[in-house]
Amino acid sequence: MKDPEGFASHLVDYCLGARIDAVNAPGLRETVIELVTAAIPDRVEPMMRMQLDLLRHPSSDRLPDAYLADQAGAEDALQNAAAGLRTALAQAGHLVNALAFERNAAALLGDDSRPALRAELARIPRPLTRPGILGWSLDPAPWFSDSRKDQDESWPPPGLASVADLRSLPHGAPALARVDDGPHTGWVQIGLIERQLTPARRYPDQPARQVLIIVGFETADGDPPPGKLPLSQAAWQLWTRPLRLLAPALARAEKAAEHLRTTGQPLVALTDAGATTMVDAPPRRSGPGLPPYVLAPVQGVVAALGLEPTSGICGFSLSDPAGEALICRQWRGHLVDDGAFEPFLPVVAGADLIIRPDLFTRLHDIIGPTRCHAGVHVRHTTAAQDDDTPDDMD
């Protein structure tokens, strides 16, 4: 490798940047980069070459969906550096409460497997629940065909033009879909995100293509602001920790309800548990288990409705005294062949957020009918075979 330090710096920022920024410890990033740089020639690079030889076909340049040596090396370097963090601070004259510091640092720097485990519990077969105007998207990736004629006719998908320029769905909140079968029949889908992505293939030549669909319940006095997504951002721990512990200042129901009545905002958030925390950024390779998208309600909705994490073993679920109240469901599937001698790839990955009908009515009444909107964002992209655009299937 010509530039181990440059590669190590990129790897640390890519895999660990958010956690290192959160702990805000001077010198930690530089120490981790130094440890990764030292490990590259003897451990990371040889192991990475062996993994690629064993896990992919010789003719492929696609990275396998696995926890590879580069990620493992970066994680190992972070944990080794963090183990001496309190001592390093003391040597620099910064004395801290040992127990509190160790607990907080571990919470921020730990490689948390719980989102991936909960995502498995939240997985369901791909549902057909979505607003009627998006019915064309139920046929996943119709453009992925060996026939050049069929390919040209189906890209972009024929129904996409009907929503491409919309910022919100007609008719407001009533445009949101309702679950029509299973244990949650009648529940309202207040959030939906689905990516349909097909890989580039050489024989027959065909570029990578992607459709991204987002629907989110939001509030606004007039039309939702143009150019903005109908999603906010939130910590995934909204699913596991009571709001009174996670954000005590935001946990008052009356204050939260007043905020929902008077401000414009998305009520659905993309959490930091997914492989893709910004929908307009290229998806990241996440390794096995972690889903691309995990949705959650914003904190104001949790507080106004008095919701708490559902007890027991479950996926992403919040409850009130009447039982389960709000759920994030996960799906991934529709396998296709990229033309190489490798396992088929899932075209579709998605998540939605569904709420119990009585709570949706209550939330609708708190906000006011004229301020309720069903925000939408739909776009399509094409990438040539030699593009470097990463995706989480690679």
Side-chain angles (χ1 to χ4, degrees), residues 216-355:
F217 191 30
E218 57 185 329
T219 67
D221 289 325
D223 293 331
K228 294 198 173 184
L229 298 174
L231 291 179
S232 181
Q233 291 184 300
W236 85 273
Q237 286 84 359
L238 279 170
W239 291 114
T240 60
R241 298 188 65 190
L243 190 60
R244 65 179 182 278
L245 301 179
L246 193 63
L250 303 175
R252 289 178 50 196
E254 300 84 1
K255 185 176 180 181
E258 180 62 25
H259 185 72
L260 294 178
R261 275 192 293 266
T262 57
T263 62
Q265 62 174 321
L267 302 184
V268 178
L270 187 66
T271 77
D272 54 11
T276 308
T277 54
M278 295 182 64
V279 294
D280 278 336
R284 295 176 56 169
R285 176 168 55 85
S286 62
L290 195 64
Y293 310 110
V294 176
L295 300 177
V298 297
Q299 294 173 336
V301 170
V302 178
L305 299 180
L307 306 181
E308 295 212 349
T310 301
S311 60
I313 299 173
C314 63
F316 303 112
S317 174
L318 299 176
S319 294
D320 66 2
E324 279 197 305
L326 202 149
I327 294 172
C328 173
R329 307 185 296 180
Q330 296 281 325
W331 60 90
R332 188 176 183 185
H334 191 72
L335 302 181
V336 300
D337 179 12
D338 69 349
F341 297 96
E342 299 197 48
F344 282 21
L345 303 169
V347 165
V348 173
D352 69 359
L353 195 65
I354 57 174
I355 189 171

Side-chain angles (χ1 to χ4, degrees), residues 82-100:
L85 187 55
R86 185 162 58 87
T87 300
L89 290 174
Q91 291 176 340
H94 301 288
L95 300 179
V96 296
N97 181 290
L99 185 60

Side-chain angles (χ1 to χ4, degrees), residues 57 59-61 144-148 151 199-208 336-341 385:
H57 191 272
S59 66
S60 173
D61 56 4
F144 195 77
S145 168
D146 288 345
S147 166
R148 174 68 65 178
Q151 171 188 320
R201 59 187 300 173
R202 292 185 174 89
Y203 305 106
D205 181 53
Q206 186 166 314
V336 300
D337 179 12
D338 69 349
F341 297 96
Q385 173 67 48

Side-chain angles (χ1 to χ4, degrees), residues 22-339:
V23 79
N24 193 27
L28 179 60
R29 184 186 302 269
E30 291 75 13
T31 302
V32 175
I33 291 173
E34 185 177 335
L35 290 173
V36 174
T37 302
I40 285 174
D42 297 326
R43 296 197 301 275
V44 173
E45 193 169 13
M47 178 61 73
M48 188 84 169
R49 291 185 185 280
M50 183 182 299
Q51 288 175 321
L52 295 179
D53 287 342
L54 294 173
L55 296 176
R56 72 180 182 182
H57 191 272
S59 66
S60 173
D61 56 4
R62 179 167 56 87
L63 289 175
D65 186 14
Y67 191 65
L68 300 178
D70 57 345
Q71 293 173 284
E75 185 66 37
D76 184 61
L78 174 63
Q79 299 306 323
N80 276 294
L85 187 55
R86 185 162 58 87
T87 300
L89 290 174
Q91 291 176 340
H94 301 288
L95 300 179
V96 296
N97 181 290
L99 185 60
F101 178 83
E102 296 288 354
R103 184 187 297 115
N104 292 335
L108 293 169
L109 293 174
D111 187 16
D112 197 342
S113 63
R114 290 176 298 169
L117 294 174
R118 284 181 174 262
E120 282 303 302
L121 294 171
R123 282 185 69 170
I124 62 170
R126 182 177 180 245
L128 302 182
T129 310
R130 61 194 61 204
I133 199 171
L134 296 174
W136 54 269
S137 66
L138 289 173
D139 183 11
W143 62 86
F144 195 77
S145 168
D146 288 345
S147 166
R148 174 68 65 178
K149 179 176 181 295
D150 290 345
Q151 171 188 320
D152 292 341
E153 288 180 354
S154 61
W155 182 259
L160 190 145
S162 64
V163 291
D165 296 326
L166 292 183
R167 176 58 182 82
S168 60
L169 299 178
H171 313 304
L176 295 170
R178 290 181 180 257
V179 180
D180 58 9
D181 62 0
H184 302 106
T185 298
W187 286 41
V188 183
Q189 186 186 68
I190 61 172
L192 167 70
I193 182 167
E194 184 175 85
R195 182 204 65 204
Q196 299 180 12
L197 183 150
T198 57
R201 59 187 300 173
R202 292 185 174 89
Y203 305 106
D205 181 53
Q206 186 166 314
R209 286 169 168 170
Q210 174 176 282
V211 169
L212 182 68
I213 300 165
I214 302 172
V215 176
F217 191 30
E218 57 185 329
T219 67
D221 289 325
D223 293 331
K228 294 198 173 184
L229 298 174
L231 291 179
S232 181
Q233 291 184 300
W236 85 273
Q237 286 84 359
L238 279 170
W239 291 114
T240 60
R241 298 188 65 190
L243 190 60
R244 65 179 182 278
L245 301 179
L246 193 63
L250 303 175
R252 289 178 50 196
E254 300 84 1
K255 185 176 180 181
E258 180 62 25
H259 185 72
L260 294 178
R261 275 192 293 266
T262 57
T263 62
Q265 62 174 321
L267 302 184
V268 178
L270 187 66
T271 77
D272 54 11
T276 308
T277 54
M278 295 182 64
V279 294
D280 278 336
R284 295 176 56 169
R285 176 168 55 85
S286 62
L290 195 64
Y293 310 110
V294 176
L295 300 177
V298 297
Q299 294 173 336
V301 170
V302 178
L305 299 180
L307 306 181
E308 295 212 349
T310 301
S311 60
I313 299 173
C314 63
F316 303 112
S317 174
L318 299 176
S319 294
D320 66 2
E324 279 197 305
L326 202 149
I327 294 172
C328 173
R329 307 185 296 180
Q330 296 281 325
W331 60 90
R332 188 176 183 185
H334 191 72
L335 302 181
V336 300
D337 179 12
D338 69 349

